[in-house]
Amino acid sequence: MRLAGAILLVSLAGCASAPPGEIADPYEPMNRQVHAFNKSLDANLLRPVARMARRGDGAKAPAEPWTKPYPQGPGAIGIVGNFGSNLSLPGKVVNSLLQGRPQPAWQNTARFLVNSTLGLAGVFDPAGEEFALTEVDTDFGETLHVWGVPSGAYLELPVLGPSTERDLAGKIVDFVLIDPLDNLLTDEQKLAGTAARVVSKAGERAQFGSTVDSVLHDSADSYAQTRLLYTQHRRYELKQEEDVIDPYAD
């Protein structure tokens, strides 16, 4: 049943498209309502928590937001974030193989093995610090892109934020299908892994606080700005257009 549902979602991905370089947004009224909810959630919960986490960890924002690996502070946020990131690596290995990219699959495999052993189940990051085995980020949304599925319409998801129809399908498939650890972990371990990934996201909000604040709370139209920056970054990330630049590089 989960497989059938995921396949249905994949088949629906990309049902709405726009000419190259433009953004398909037929759901804009609904998206703006979700954006207003996300903006309020950030102002009233995420931003205060992220500022507390930043003060507690002493973490500094990286020069280039949304790149991997994220430099973690020495406190609890960094440790839990490392753990959650390590648990996500097997799924990224599977996606790299589905994309026909053995090199990043090997690199993430080696990183997972080193950090799961020498790094005490991923709490620490000797793979990156000692062996230069940085994380190669990917997801099933990218796999669908490699397979030729168009991005479809822009979506803003509650809590999760900007996405597209294709990337929403990818998120669901990543969650329900292609995590190799799914059958090896107990329910308690799965819950701990999910909690670790949530905490890791809070750590990212702390690291990129000034950037998020400028987009969400200082823009004349934060929805349009968020949509544009996400779309440009995703196109850059997937190398969709040769001349596209990463808007977060500065």
Side-chain angles (χ1 to χ4, degrees):
M1 183 63 68
R2 293 193 306 173
L3 177 60
I7 291 174
L8 175 60
L9 283 166
V10 171
S11 68
L12 293 175
C15 60
S17 59
E22 298 184 16
I23 302 173
D25 192 4
Y27 310 121
E28 182 171 350
M30 178 190 70
N31 283 337
R32 283 188 176 273
Q33 291 180 0
V34 176
H35 179 78
F37 167 79
N38 286 340
K39 185 175 178 178
S40 176
L41 180 68
D42 183 85
N44 293 293
L45 178 61
L46 300 181
R47 181 166 60 174
V49 170
R51 286 177 175 173
M52 292 176 59
R54 185 178 176 85
R55 287 196 297 268
D57 274 11
K60 295 182 179 180
E64 299 185 3
W66 288 15
T67 56
K68 295 285 187 176
Y70 300 108
Q72 301 287 357
I77 293 290
I79 291 174
V80 177
N82 286 341
F83 175 70
S85 177
N86 192 61
L87 285 179
S88 73
L89 287 174
K92 293 176 182 180
V93 171
V94 173
N95 273 305
S96 292
L97 293 175
L98 291 173
Q99 296 162 17
R101 295 169 174 168
Q103 195 283 329
W106 172 88
Q107 185 166 324
N108 278 339
T109 298
R111 178 178 172 82
F112 176 75
L113 292 175
V114 171
N115 281 352
S116 295
T117 53
L118 300 180
L120 303 180
V123 171
F124 302 104
D125 183 23
E129 296 172 359
E130 304 295 334
F131 300 98
L133 292 169
T134 57
E135 179 179 329
V136 182
D137 196 21
T138 190
D139 50 59
F140 197 74
E142 182 172 5
T143 300
L144 291 173
H145 165 69
V146 170
W147 290 355
V149 176
S151 62
Y154 175 79
L155 296 172
E156 179 143 357
L157 308 176
V159 182
L160 299 178
S163 187
T164 63
E165 290 176 315
R166 179 181 64 201
D167 286 343
L168 173 59
K171 285 179 173 67
I172 295 174
V173 172
D174 278 329
F175 183 76
V176 302
L177 284 182
I178 61 173
D179 187 349
L181 297 179
D182 186 62
N183 295 321
L184 301 178
L185 301 178
T186 65
D187 290 341
E188 291 76 12
Q189 290 170 326
K190 292 176 186 177
L191 181 60
T194 300
R197 290 166 185 161
V198 170
V199 172
S200 179
K201 292 299 180 183
E204 291 174 26
R205 176 60 175 90
Q207 291 167 347
F208 310 142
S210 60
T211 300
V212 175
D213 286 344
S214 67
V215 173
L216 279 185
H217 305 295
D218 299 331
S219 301
D221 187 345
S222 60
Y223 172 76
Q225 185 78 347
T226 299
R227 179 182 60 190
L228 177 63
L229 290 177
Y230 172 80
T231 302
Q232 288 183 342
H233 176 76
R234 190 59 167 161
R235 287 173 178 169
Y236 170 85
E237 197 173 47
L238 301 181
K239 299 178 175 60
Q240 270 183 266
E241 301 173 20
E242 292 183 0
D243 60 345
V244 73
I245 61 173
D246 185 0
Y248 294 95
D250 296 329

